Amino acid sequence: MSAASDLARDEHIVAHLRRTEPRAIHHGWDDLHMVGQTDRRDAIRIYARLGLHPIIVHGLRADGECTCGRPACAARGKHPVLRAWQTMPLDVAALDAMLISEWRYSVGLRMGAQPSGMHLVCLDVDGPRDLLTPLEAEHGALPPTLTARTGRGGQHLIYQIDPALAPRNRVRLAPGVDVRAEGGMIVAAPSRHASGNRYEWLAVRQPEVLR
Ligand SMILES: [Zn+2]
């Protein structure tokens, strides 16, 4: 077979996977309802099963300090443990071993390209959903999507996006609204925030496509 026909075949397979994958993984999203009642080890398995990319994030010690051990950590309980977290392939067994070694570690989700092939962005709303009102007035209403309540009382709205349109990580869209994209992450349920509150899923469904 020629290289050209190999390429055509590969493209056909990829196109087929793109068509079938979202439907194939759709059935599992209800599993996120369980994350609030499970421990972190189960949570990373549920996330991985959904085709997401869980990572291990520093947690909080009983004295309120970050497990990274820096006394003045500016991101207590919300920064990744491993330096190569942005590029490491997903290895659930390795994440599990980390959680066994340090039970106070928390769980995060990498944004951008996912093992399922989806590209995700998170609108990180640092307060009530009203902070999105100016954006919606300008660009139209944001469709309902996979949504979490953050430990600080804000919201994480997670969308699928065409990677060609994907914004850079940490773009400030509006006051109190940041984008977490490729190279970014969010802390996720059942992690606990420095305030004592847990992150939890509010609306459980496959991330909607943002156009
Ligand atoms: Zn820290």
Side-chain angles (χ1 to χ4, degrees):
M1 206 186 273
S2 73
S5 66
D6 276 353
L7 189 63
R9 185 202 55 201
D10 290 352
E11 279 172 355
H12 176 76
I13 292 169
V14 168
H16 177 73
L17 288 173
R18 285 217 178 98
R19 276 201 306 277
T20 55
E21 219 162 28
R23 202 167 45 223
I25 60 177
H26 177 75
H27 303 294
W29 292 94
D30 280 350
D31 290 356
L32 289 180
H33 285 304
M34 292 189 293
V35 168
Q37 287 108 53
T38 60
D39 65 13
R40 288 160 246 212
R41 294 180 61 200
D42 287 329
I44 58 170
R45 284 189 190 85
I46 291 170
Y47 291 141
R49 248 191 348 247
L50 290 170
L52 302 175
H53 194 125
I55 58 170
I56 305 300
V57 175
H58 274 292
L60 298 160
R61 307 190 315 205
D63 62 3
E65 295 295 337
C66 186
T67 52
C68 72
R70 285 195 290 271
C73 176
R76 278 187 304 145
K78 53 193 304 183
H79 61 103
V81 171
L82 297 176
R83 212 171 285 176
W85 67 273
Q86 288 166 309
T87 51
M88 286 174 64
L90 178 61
D91 181 343
V92 173
L95 301 185
D96 194 52
M98 288 174 72
L99 289 175
I100 292 169
S101 73
E102 171 53 272
W103 62 272
R104 294 169 297 191
Y105 281 160
S106 287
V107 173
L109 291 172
R110 201 160 92 178
M111 293 292 107
Q114 303 296 306
S116 66
M118 286 190 296
H119 275 73
L120 297 182
V121 293
C122 175
L123 299 184
D124 185 356
V125 184
D126 190 20
R129 200 188 180 286
D130 296 355
L131 288 168
L132 292 169
T133 304
L135 279 176
E136 291 188 307
E138 196 176 336
H139 301 290
L142 286 159
T145 193
L146 176 62
T147 305
R149 177 161 48 228
T150 70
R152 262 175 70 91
Q155 292 196 4
H156 285 156
L157 282 74
I158 299 174
Y159 288 99
Q160 293 192 61
I161 196 166
D162 179 345
L165 304 175
R168 291 190 317 274
N169 185 38
R170 289 186 148 274
V171 174
R172 172 136 300 193
L173 283 185
V177 184
D178 289 341
V179 177
R180 310 291 170 196
E182 185 73 47
M185 51 77 62
I186 56 171
V187 181
S191 305
R192 197 177 283 283
H193 183 260
S195 64
N197 298 323
R198 285 191 187 281
Y199 292 77
E200 58 183 355
W201 293 107
L202 288 179
V204 162
R205 46 169 295 159
Q206 179 168 331
E208 186 55 70
V209 178
L210 198 60
R211 297 174 200 284

